[in-house]
Amino acid sequence: MPTINIDGRECDFEPGQTILQIANANGVKIPQYCYHDGLSIVASCRICLAEVWAPNPRNDNKLEPIPKLLPTCQTTAAEGQVVYTDSPKAIANQKAVMEYLLINHPLDCPVCDQAGECELQDYSYEYGRGVSRFEEIKVKQPKKDLGPHVYLYSDRCIMCSRCVRFTREVSGTAELMVEGRGNQEQIDVFPGVALDNELSANVIDLCPVGALLDKDFLFTQRVWFLKTTPSIDGTTAAGDNVWIEHNEGRIYRFRPRDNMDVNKWWISDEIRYSWKFAHREDRIVKPKTMRYDRRVECEYAAAYEDAVDGLRDKRVALIVSPMLTCEEAYLFAKAVRQVDQNASFVVGPVPRQGDDKEFPGGYTIRAEKAPNARGVRRVLEAMGGGVMSYEEFLGRAGEFGGLLITGNYPSEWVTDEMLGACEGKFVVLIDTLPTKLSERADVLIPGATWTEKAGVFENVDNRLQAFEQAIPVVYGARQEGQVALDLAARAEGIERPEAMNAANVRREMANEFDALHIFETDVHYPSVDAKQEPDVEMVEL
């Protein structure tokens, strides 16, 4: 492979790569504002300019400096080039660009939501001047409400144009434009056209400064208090990779987690704000059971006892929600077989909304609004006995005397047909939110959202992806996997059930069933860069 030297480091590269792309791939730090891997290259911010020396074929291929600094984001690398981003000329340019960008930038850092993750702050510290020489009056520009999710603080904008390029190249909706000239240049929407496409909030992530802000996150939490957990979209079949950012048991926002095989750099607004139901005030947090024809709150032990006793000696159907993890599907199947050896398995209702929608940038919003229908079916089929679809179950509901049903949907999912199928049967329901069925169930047990547990989802492309628990389970509820283990222990007469551990369950699944060996070999785990850079030089003595 051809090689290039960047700041004294030899780097291999593929023909066609730019200098900045090579530097990013090899961990060589070059400041950059306007460049993004998912967008076209405009080379407008000018902070990535570097001094480049190249072999001159007309002078025996001797290294000669190119007179002007070159934008590394736009300059294609060539064999034998030597690049300096730390030469006096390059450093002088970095300081000049930072001074230029900060001339009209307000000192909003104490109140800006971007503080703590702002590239303008970081680069000012790393590449800027220590003091400002600007004594004139700063240009003030207005705040703008661009759409349902996005605010624009125009006087913080550095005109990198990432947001404009995104709406033109990725979403294909082109709501944003650059209007004005000089220090009056601004980002704006076209008259009468709000920034209201299904991917609109991605411009918030793209903005390197505090110009584009999330209305939902505005002034709610300082970013340095947030803990970050890698997770998977838990409401659609896309399997988009996300970061869950939370503090003290409360989620504050989702951000896209880069994965070139799934969602690239983007997530839909639907997924970004899908965590809201996890903090609904009407979450089910207490088990309930029937006592003297009345539904009363009870302890878990009483709920488990009533559930097992009520299902025993009946023909049982287990309805596993496609919102549950693969491990939970496995544990529930094991548990119900302790009560009825011939229990039937059913994949719960799989919600759909319209058709898949693909955007010009390659991102697709999936019509299927369940994260794990394929994973649930894979596990239940491996355990034998045949697996019914939800529609097939409705036609055969009369065959069963007991139903063990899991929900966990983010909204009302129980239809009149479902209520009719439950009529006259002993119903055990594990769910997170009140539904028409939760008022009818003989035993009601609180469950947990996917943000409150770990596990594996299988997306629409049959990709198995693991995710970690982000926040503790809401007080009073339990993870469905733990509920399944508790029910199985009660059915077997075991006093101390084991604790739920998703990794251990995957190993058990792989060892017990050859068809589930894939959970030992083909699960994709989140790749997390845990590198931490100190502010001061660390010297080993």
Side-chain angles (χ1 to χ4, degrees), residues 132-434:
S132 172
R133 299 182 294 176
F134 188 71
E135 297 179 354
E136 286 71 25
I137 297 174
K138 291 178 181 285
V139 174
K140 294 292 183 183
Q141 295 189 358
K143 301 180 182 68
K144 300 174 183 177
D145 187 345
L146 299 185
H149 303 301
V150 185
Y151 269 132
L152 170 62
Y153 283 67
S154 297
D155 51 5
R156 299 176 187 170
C157 179
I158 62 170
M159 299 308 300
C160 71
S161 77
R162 282 183 177 185
C163 56
V164 177
R165 284 176 281 151
F166 175 85
T167 58
R168 294 179 181 178
E169 300 165 11
V170 180
S171 69
T173 48
E175 299 99 333
L176 297 180
M177 64 173 176
V178 178
E179 64 98 11
R181 284 180 168 234
N183 63 14
Q184 297 299 317
E185 197 173 28
Q186 299 179 36
I187 301 296
D188 210 339
V189 291
F190 283 92
V193 181
L195 180 60
D196 190 17
N197 64 72
E198 294 97 326
L199 308 180
S200 65
N202 284 286
V203 301
I204 300 163
D205 306 314
L206 284 172
C207 185
V209 297
L212 293 168
L213 298 178
D214 188 345
K215 289 182 180 180
D216 188 69
F217 183 69
L218 195 65
F219 305 137
T220 60
Q221 187 78 183
R222 281 304 196 182
V223 298
W224 50 82
F225 293 132
L226 295 175
K227 289 83 177 174
T228 302
T229 303
S231 190
I232 302 297
D233 159 34
T235 54
T236 80
D240 287 3
N241 289 213
V242 298
W243 296 109
I244 299 180
E245 300 198 337
H246 54 95
N247 185 31
E248 296 182 345
R250 184 169 188 84
I251 299 170
Y252 285 91
R253 65 179 180 181
F254 277 12
R255 292 190 299 119
R257 180 160 56 91
D258 296 355
N259 189 323
M260 296 302 104
D261 297 323
V262 186
N263 54 302
K264 297 184 179 178
W265 308 270
W266 328 117
I267 57 174
S268 67
D269 294 352
E270 174 189 22
I271 294 170
R272 185 182 298 270
Y273 303 110
S274 62
W275 54 269
K276 301 280 188 162
F277 79 101
H279 296 306
R280 271 179 50 174
E281 293 184 0
D282 59 348
R283 280 280 299 271
I284 299 172
V285 294
K286 277 283 189 180
K288 291 183 180 181
T289 189
M290 295 296 291
R291 288 288 186 271
Y292 307 109
D293 296 325
R294 291 183 58 199
R295 188 170 289 99
V296 297
E297 293 183 354
C298 64
E299 297 298 321
Y300 273 93
Y304 294 149
E305 181 179 1
D306 289 354
V308 172
D309 291 347
L311 293 174
R312 203 182 294 277
D313 300 326
K314 293 182 176 66
R315 177 85 191 280
V316 178
L318 168 66
I319 303 176
V320 182
S321 167
M323 314 300 288
L324 266 55
T325 66
C326 295
E327 296 89 340
E328 289 169 335
Y330 171 78
L331 291 174
F332 271 115
K334 275 188 64 179
V336 80
R337 286 276 166 87
Q338 297 293 332
V339 178
D340 177 11
Q341 287 288 338
N342 299 312
S344 297
F345 298 149
V346 182
V347 178
V350 181
R352 290 187 64 89
Q353 293 180 10
D355 299 315
D356 290 352
K357 183 175 181 179
E358 186 169 352
F359 290 84
Y363 184 87
T364 302
I365 293 179
R366 298 296 178 179
E368 186 177 313
K369 305 305 180 185
N372 199 34
R374 290 157 190 79
V376 167
R377 179 170 287 277
R378 179 193 294 272
V379 171
L380 297 180
E381 285 179 345
M383 299 187 72
V387 179
M388 287 186 279
S389 68
Y390 172 68
E391 291 73 21
E392 186 180 355
F393 161 75
L394 292 178
R396 296 175 53 186
E399 301 176 14
F400 306 100
L403 302 176
L404 177 56
I405 304 173
T406 60
N408 214 330
Y409 295 86
S411 57
E412 177 64 70
W413 61 277
V414 179
T415 63
D416 292 338
E417 291 82 2
M418 181 67 169
L419 288 176
C422 296
E423 197 64 39
K425 300 173 180 59
F426 186 85
V427 176
V428 178
L429 174 65
I430 301 101
D431 212 343
T432 50
L433 297 174

